[in-house]
Amino acid sequence: DSGVTQTPKHLITATGQRVTLRCSPRSGDLSVYWYQQSLDQGLQFLIQYYNGEERAKGNILERFSAQQFPDLHSELNLSSLELGDSALYFCASSWDSWGSPLHFGNGTRLTVT
Amino acid sequence: AQRVTQPEKLLSVFKGAPVELKCNYSYSGSPELFWYVQYSRQRLQLLLRHISRESIKGFTADLNKGETSFHLKKPFAQEEDSAMYYCALSGTASGTYKYIFGTGTRLKVLA
């Protein structure tokens, strides 16, 4: 499957902990986007990387960080977790850095207890 | 500020009835507008984009720059159209690039 792959599917952790979410983009895509979807909220744009470099930043908390590696996979690191960080985190990829349709992964459901 | 507004959380229509999912945006430049759809147990996927000006699965959407709207329409709803629909905008304003989504509208097509 050459689509967007996100791991893990589910993650349950305690407050104060740190987790890493992983995303492998669709084959040939250079951009990776991260979104957070909380209950009754839309998709909140967090951050975008293009070919290894940060391209755009949205409403990403300072406790969160991300990077894109030379093989183009990306990781989203969430630290000092709070109950309110419980959400579905989506990764999406596109072939260019602006305006192309996004291809989404299935998301990682994070539960902070 | 850049914003995408979908005023309806839920829209229920009967099979065969016309459908219009509303999307309004605020943006200071020339954005790209998209509609994405998420069917049950499937991932979010592109439905259509305004620059293509095409009809997908019977859906169309016209960009109205005067009203800053990009409403999604279908003349005759089918049960398989039941899904979550998201309007999205991408573009650069004040040197900042964003790809943002509305809160989504759940469409239920009743038999």
Side-chain angles (χ1 to χ4, degrees), chain B residues 70-83:
Chain B
F70 188 56
H71 303 328
L72 183 68
K73 299 177 183 178
K74 184 169 183 176
F76 307 104
Q78 303 298 316
E79 288 182 73
E80 55 265 31
D81 296 328
S82 295

Side-chain angles (χ1 to χ4, degrees), chain A residues 44-63:
Chain A
Q44 298 295 317
F45 172 59
L46 296 178
I47 198 163
Q48 179 211 0
Y49 281 84
Y50 176 74
N51 205 19
E53 294 190 4
E54 184 182 302
R55 173 71 172 83
K57 215 166 190 176
N59 302 319
I60 188 167
L61 299 172
E62 286 191 12
R63 300 184 286 109

Side-chain angles (χ1 to χ4, degrees), chain B residues 28-79:
Chain B
S28 57
S30 295
E32 294 260 3
L33 274 296
F34 306 83
W35 276 98
Y36 286 82
V37 61
Q38 187 172 29
Y39 300 104
S40 179
R41 302 184 192 285
Q42 294 186 27
R43 62 184 68 190
L44 203 63
Q45 58 187 288
L46 177 72
L47 180 62
L48 53 79
R49 58 192 298 192
H50 88 272
I51 63 170
S52 300
R53 301 187 65 81
E54 57 189 347
S55 174
I56 304 293
K57 299 185 179 183
F59 284 98
T60 59
D62 290 319
L63 178 60
N64 186 322
K65 292 187 178 181
E67 295 182 358
T68 59
S69 68
F70 188 56
H71 303 328
L72 183 68
K73 299 177 183 178
K74 184 169 183 176
F76 307 104
Q78 303 298 316
E79 288 182 73

Side-chain angles (χ1 to χ4, degrees), chain A residues 8-72:
Chain A
K9 287 186 179 180
H10 302 278
L11 202 48
I12 301 175
T13 189
T15 54
Q17 295 298 305
R18 172 190 167 94
V19 297
T20 297
L21 312 183
R22 183 187 168 101
C23 169
S24 293
R26 197 179 61 135
S27 178
D29 285 353
L30 299 178
S31 267
V32 170
Y33 297 73
W34 286 98
Y35 290 88
Q36 178 193 56
Q37 186 179 44
S38 305
L39 195 64
D40 284 341
Q41 298 278 326
L43 290 153
Q44 298 295 317
F45 172 59
L46 296 178
I47 198 163
Q48 179 211 0
Y49 281 84
Y50 176 74
N51 205 19
E53 294 190 4
E54 184 182 302
R55 173 71 172 83
K57 215 166 190 176
N59 302 319
I60 188 167
L61 299 172
E62 286 191 12
R63 300 184 286 109
F64 297 0
S65 65
Q67 56 183 329
Q68 186 180 29
F69 295 86
D71 66 352
L72 301 178

Side-chain angles (χ1 to χ4, degrees), chain A residues 4 33 35 37 98 102 104, chain B residues 34 36 43 86 97 99:
Chain A
V4 179
Y33 297 73
Y35 290 88
Q37 186 179 44
W98 186 91
L102 303 185
F104 280 82
Chain B
F34 306 83
Y36 286 82
R43 62 184 68 190
Y86 293 92
Y97 170 71
Y99 203 128

